């Protein structure tokens, strides 16, 4: 799985360990990144006067001049908020890598 130099060479180990840490941190963040996306199939309907509209999550972010107003109007709706996580900025906290300088303390 690992190259021989990773296992046997003390000189190369710190550099390789940094790479392994970076890879692990990326893998930890991957589920959150995938979870923070908009549904491609979700739609909701809206009637304004006699005109009916069908909106997709992209409606919340496809017009820079109207995005904030649209998000304020629609992202308070639980179904929109849950299905348009990225557009509604509803992704929660991103996992961050642990602090390498942490120390254990007695309780």
């Amino acid at each position: 799985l690992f190259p021989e130099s990773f296992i046997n060479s003390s000189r190369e180990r710190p550099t390789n360990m940094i790479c392994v840490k970076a890879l692990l941190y990326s893998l930890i963040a991957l589920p959150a990144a995938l979870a923070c996306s908009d549904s491609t199939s979700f739609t909701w309907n809206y009637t304004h006067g006699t005109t009916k509209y069908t909106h997709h999550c992209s409606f919340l972010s496809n017009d820079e001049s109207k995005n904030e107003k649209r998000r304020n109007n629609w992202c308070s709706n639980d179904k929109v908020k849950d299905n348009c996580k990225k557009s509604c900025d509803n992704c929660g906290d991103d996992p961050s890598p642990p602090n390498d300088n942490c120390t254990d303390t007695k309780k």
Side-chain angles (χ1 to χ4, degrees):
L1 179 65
F2 294 107
E4 193 67 28
S5 63
F6 180 83
I7 297 167
N8 292 328
S9 172
S10 61
R11 193 181 111 236
E12 290 186 34
R13 192 171 297 154
T15 302
N16 288 335
M17 287 304 293
I18 291 169
C19 293
V20 170
K21 278 185 176 181
L23 175 63
L24 290 175
Y25 293 153
S26 298
L27 292 175
I28 290 169
L30 185 61
L34 293 175
C36 185
S37 60
D38 292 338
S39 169
T40 56
S41 61
F42 174 72
T43 61
W44 72 96
N45 297 311
Y46 172 69
T47 303
H48 180 71
T50 58
T51 306
K52 293 182 179 184
Y53 298 94
T54 299
H55 294 307
H56 300 266
C57 295
S58 61
F59 169 76
L60 301 168
S61 60
N62 67 1
D63 186 336
E64 201 62 41
S65 66
K66 298 178 183 179
N67 290 349
E68 185 176 356
K69 182 176 180 181
R70 289 176 176 178
R71 288 179 184 134
N72 289 338
N73 288 339
W74 291 106
C75 290
S76 59
N77 177 294
D78 287 338
K79 286 187 179 184
V80 173
K81 185 177 172 180
D82 290 343
N83 285 283
C84 303
K85 288 182 180 291
K86 185 173 183 179
S87 291
C88 286
D89 194 23
N90 183 34
C91 298
D93 294 332
D94 291 333
S96 57
N99 182 349
D100 284 339
N101 299 322
C102 68
T103 57
D104 293 334
T105 57
K106 292 183 180 181
K107 290 186 178 186

